[in-house]
């Protein structure tokens, strides 16, 4: 059986949906805090089991009979290391034979503060003795698409990424890769650096937005503190604003670029382009 943690999240639901194309529903275990959120999967025969990243005992129960586990990194930045340790220890207790973990692109050399908890989790996996595979995901294109409406409204797209290239892909692209790895044999020890086929700068994003919308949008590069202040002003919580501003600065240093095309090789098709993603939003 294959289990997925965080199965009610945006990435998790896409992974389950992809797996259902090739794996019998009763061989899938969706682990969630609130089973009601994915009742539709239960109705289709998926085994939905309740457990949170904080509750190790519940995680052990949820992993009974599971051979392969996709550990989708927690969304609670700052709490991830503790939460992931619970999952890894529970997996060991339950006899899980392989863990796939959604880490960060080039986590071991990334200039982004976001990498710290991923590095800590990768270390825990090594020390656990459980065979594992790393899915080092680059940036989701969706992380920037949320800024499209205000950019169109004001004619300015703001950030702190300078001319750093961002090789993003969509959640659906990363989900397809995770689902594929969960169904392949001999994955233990593999490290996938997953990113979009084509890198782009925020200036190029603004230019593409101008082209598709017919409204002029320019990119304005801000110092990290100013970008964070703008995000706070837009109503984002402190932690998220800090993370996004720091990540943009990391992008300016090459932290979100990779041109190895391992993602498209894994999913057997080109990754979704920025132009396609913007077209869908507009």
């Amino acid at each position: 059986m294959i289990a997925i943690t965080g199965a009610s999240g945006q990435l998790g639901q896409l992974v389950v949906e992809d797996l259902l194309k090739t794996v019998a529903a009763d061989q899938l275990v969706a682990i969630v805090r609130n089973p009601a959120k994915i009742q539709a999967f239960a109705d289709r025969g998926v085994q939905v089991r309740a457990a949170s990243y904080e509750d190790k005992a519940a995680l052990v129960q949820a992993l009974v009979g599971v051979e392969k586990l996709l550990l989708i990194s927690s969304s609670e930045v700052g709490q991830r290391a503790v939460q992931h340790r619970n999952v890894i220890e529970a997996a060991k207790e339950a006899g899980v034979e392989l863990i796939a973990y959604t880490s960060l692109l080039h986590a071991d050399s990334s200039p982004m503060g976001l990498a710290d908890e991923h590095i800590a989790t990768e270390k825990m996996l090594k020390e656990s003795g459980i065979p594992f595979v790393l899915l080092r995901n680059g940036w989701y294109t969706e992380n920037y698409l949320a800024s499209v409406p205000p950019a169109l409204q004001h004619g300015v797209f703001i950030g702190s990424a300078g001319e750093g290239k961002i090789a993003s892909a969509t959640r659906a692209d990363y989900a397809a890769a995770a689902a594929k790895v969960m169904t392949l044999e001999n994955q233990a020890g593999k490290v996938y650096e997953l990113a979009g086929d084509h890198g782009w700068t925020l200036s190029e994003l603004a230019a593409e937005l101008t082209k598709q919308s017919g409204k002029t949008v320019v990119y304005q590069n801000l110092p990290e503190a100013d970008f964070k202040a703008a995000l706070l002003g837009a109503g984002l919580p402190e932690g998220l604003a800090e993370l996004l501003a720091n990540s943009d600065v990391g992008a300016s240093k090459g932290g979100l670029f990779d041109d190895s095309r391992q993602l498209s090789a894994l999913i057997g098709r080109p990754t979704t382009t920025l132009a396609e993603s913007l077209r869908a939003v507009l």
Side-chain angles (χ1 to χ4, degrees), residues 68-193:
K68 295 180 181 179
L69 167 65
L70 174 63
L71 168 51
I72 293 179
S73 58
S74 160
S75 58
E76 295 176 65
V77 177
Q79 305 298 313
R80 285 171 160 172
V82 174
Q83 293 175 337
H84 295 166
R85 184 178 293 284
N86 285 336
V87 179
I88 293 164
E89 289 178 354
K92 187 158 190 171
E93 235 174 276
V96 170
E97 294 165 18
L98 179 78
I99 298 178
Y101 171 62
T102 60
S103 188
L104 177 70
L105 186 66
H106 299 297
D108 50 353
S109 60
S110 175
M112 297 164 70
L114 194 58
D116 294 347
E117 290 178 302
H118 290 296
I119 293 168
T121 303
E122 290 187 8
K123 185 168 181 278
M124 286 176 217
L125 285 165
K126 283 174 193 148
E127 291 169 351
S128 73
I130 304 170
F132 66 92
V133 50
L134 298 177
L135 306 172
R136 286 182 170 165
N137 288 350
W139 224 227
Y140 298 141
T141 306
E142 288 90 342
N143 291 352
Y144 285 108
L145 297 182
S147 301
V148 166
L152 288 172
Q153 187 183 339
H154 302 291
V156 178
F157 197 102
I158 61 171
S160 294
E163 287 304 299
K165 281 203 172 285
I166 298 157
S168 74
T170 62
R171 271 196 190 87
D173 292 336
Y174 292 115
K180 184 72 181 287
V181 166
M182 298 314 287
T183 57
L184 290 173
E185 295 301 318
N186 305 315
Q187 293 302 293
K190 296 204 172 185
V191 178
Y192 292 99
E193 302 291 353

Side-chain angles (χ1 to χ4, degrees), residues 244-264:
L244 291 174
N246 173 270
S247 298
D248 250 29
V249 172
S252 75
K253 299 172 182 173
L256 294 177
F257 181 70
D258 179 273
D259 58 2
S260 63
R261 300 198 176 190
Q262 293 179 44
L263 177 52
S264 53

